[in-house]
Amino acid sequence: MTTTSLPTPAVPDAPTTGRVLLAAPRGYCAGVDRAVVAVEKALEHYGAPIYVRKEIVHNKYVVETLAERGAIFVDDTDEVPEGARVVFSAHGVSPAVHEAAAARSLETIDATCPLVTKVHKEAVRFAADDFDILLIGHDGHEEVEGTAGEAPEHIQVVNSPDEVDKVVVRDPDKVVWISQTTLSVDETMETVRRLRERFPTLQDPPSDDICYATQNRQVAVKKLAPRCELVIVVGSRNSSNSVRLMEVAKEAGADDAHLIDYAKEIDPAWLEGVTTVGVTSGASVPEILVEDVLQFLAERGYGEVEEVRTATEDLMFSLPRELRGALKASGQGTGRPQREGRRALRVDTV
Ligand code: SF4
């Protein structure tokens, strides 16, 4: 546990009694880092424009910053000029999207997080074994669409524990569950518990589908939330893991919790009577946005910052294969800009 004091700027009459509990880990995960760097490197190497299907990660600031540098975000491959280069987002795409891209002769860079790809592979394998696959996740989320598209005949989406009663399967003894990577661990386990009541031989996935980053950020916010009157989660509204952090903070005992993209969205009224503010950020949030929040709070008397760390993350994914090959062939490095929290360990993926 580390306590630091941010320099409190000269704000007349600012109280000095408040403090901040800062969650760690927070912010960028290995999959987001890889996807964002993939677009940055593609822009550097090929020049603008680089098309990106959907938001590369669900964060407003990241998307706006990359758009300023020449990335063009589109909803689907039919908006990309024939033969142009397109990056697939960290959330993954279905085989149908790969086929549509090939039909337009697009040059693709697949920035799907390797941990999402792992879930796709599970879906393909269980479908080949003719299981009914219950995909716990949020209908309409890009990751769920991508995973479900791997085996649409075998997969049905279960949004929440309340939907368990509606599930219909062909053979109750041949059912498996898998999940979106960014869910609430507790809610997912409740859904699984209810599914198992209905299907006692329900099979588990071979390993956790909810990814390490989602789990670690939830554990950290759970630890600090009971000590806070207010928890501020930095993240975008369409970021599943960020929304989950806000929900988990409330369930874990924070009196109040808010999700914001930028420090300027903090309503000073939220701070009335508050002595301890928890701060965390979703897996797609750059640290600069958290620093802005800490500065905003320091200006209002919350200059003492205590880090509440529950895990240390060392994971790093190598860049998408297509990009790695192009960078190596041209003698350009595949190194990354140094970002807070990044460690040296590299996990190679194919
Ligand atoms: S949140 Fe998890 S699954 Fe999503 S990009 Fe990050 S590491 Fe990958």
Side-chain angles (χ1 to χ4, degrees):
M1 190 178 296
T2 321
T3 304
T4 55
S5 268
L6 285 187
T8 306
V11 177
D13 304 326
T16 53
T17 51
R19 66 173 176 161
V20 172
L21 301 183
L22 182 60
R26 62 181 177 278
Y28 266 23
C29 61
V32 163
D33 180 65
R34 170 181 187 260
V36 173
V37 173
V39 179
E40 290 171 347
K41 291 275 183 191
L43 283 165
E44 269 169 42
H45 181 71
Y46 299 109
I50 293 290
Y51 290 84
V52 182
R53 183 185 178 277
K54 309 281 187 193
E55 293 189 348
I56 184 72
V57 298
H58 285 152
N59 184 265
K60 228 188 231 185
Y61 172 89
V62 171
V63 168
E64 285 170 6
T65 306
L66 290 173
E68 278 164 19
R69 294 178 56 186
I72 297 178
F73 292 89
V74 295
D75 260 344
D76 225 327
T77 47
D78 57 9
E79 296 166 55
V80 181
E82 200 125 342
R85 186 162 275 102
V86 63
V87 181
F88 292 147
S89 79
H91 307 104
V93 294
S94 67
V97 173
H98 281 289
E99 283 158 24
R104 293 178 67 72
S105 308
L106 303 183
E107 298 284 343
T108 58
I109 296 172
D110 189 354
T112 302
C113 176
L115 301 182
V116 174
T117 301
K118 177 185 80 83
V119 182
H120 281 223
K121 287 182 177 163
E122 287 170 5
V124 170
R125 189 155 59 80
F126 285 116
D129 289 342
D130 204 26
F131 273 81
D132 273 0
I133 302 168
L134 307 178
L135 170 55
I136 303 174
H138 297 135
D139 240 340
H141 188 281
E142 286 142 53
E143 183 187 323
V144 169
E145 284 175 0
T147 306
E150 290 285 358
E153 313 285 302
H154 288 82
I155 293 181
Q156 53 187 305
V157 178
V158 183
N159 279 279
S160 69
D162 296 337
E163 287 196 359
V164 167
D165 290 341
K166 289 191 234 152
V167 171
V168 178
V169 298
R170 294 167 300 161
D171 175 357
D173 286 325
K174 204 156 186 197
V175 187
V176 63
W177 70 275
I178 59 175
S179 85
Q180 191 179 333
T181 56
T182 51
L183 300 180
S184 151
V185 175
D186 294 340
E187 185 177 312
T188 303
M189 287 306 113
E190 175 58 14
T191 306
V192 172
R193 190 188 65 75
R194 291 210 209 167
L195 282 170
R196 190 155 277 124
E197 273 175 12
R198 285 203 56 205
F199 312 114
T201 58
L202 177 74
Q203 194 161 318
D204 294 320
S207 60
D208 278 351
D209 288 339
I210 299 180
C211 76
Y212 79 98
T214 300
Q215 298 197 32
N216 286 348
R217 280 149 194 70
Q218 288 176 17
V219 169
V221 84
K222 256 188 193 176
K223 176 133 192 221
L224 62 77
R227 298 166 62 196
C228 301
E229 293 104 328
L230 168 68
V231 171
I232 294 174
V233 179
V234 188
S236 292
R237 297 232 143 254
N238 61 345
S239 160
S240 172
N241 80 87
S242 302
V243 175
R244 300 292 85 76
L245 284 176
M246 184 181 61
E247 293 168 356
V248 167
K250 282 186 185 161
E251 281 157 20
D255 297 338
D256 196 10
H258 293 276
L259 181 65
I260 53 158
D261 268 298
Y262 298 109
K264 65 184 180 201
E265 294 168 17
I266 298 173
D267 182 346
W270 300 344
L271 298 170
E272 275 169 27
V274 168
T275 53
T276 306
V277 184
V279 175
T280 187
S281 56
S284 46
V285 177
E287 187 63 7
I288 188 172
L289 300 179
V290 175
E291 286 165 9
D292 287 348
V293 167
L294 296 180
Q295 184 66 21
F296 179 100
L297 292 170
E299 287 169 11
R300 284 151 186 85
Y302 299 84
E304 184 192 321
V305 180
E306 178 189 317
E307 185 179 77
V308 178
R309 176 170 293 280
T310 51
T312 300
E313 295 177 347
D314 292 338
L315 192 61
M316 188 183 199
F317 295 129
S318 54
L319 290 174
R321 189 176 33 184
E322 315 84 330
L323 191 56
R324 247 166 34 217
L327 293 174
K328 275 185 191 151
S330 69
Q332 285 179 275
T334 55
R336 321 283 185 80
Q338 196 60 38
R339 290 196 176 110
E340 168 134 350
R342 180 173 291 156
R343 303 288 156 99
L345 181 67
R346 176 178 291 273
V347 176
D348 277 312
T349 56
V350 289

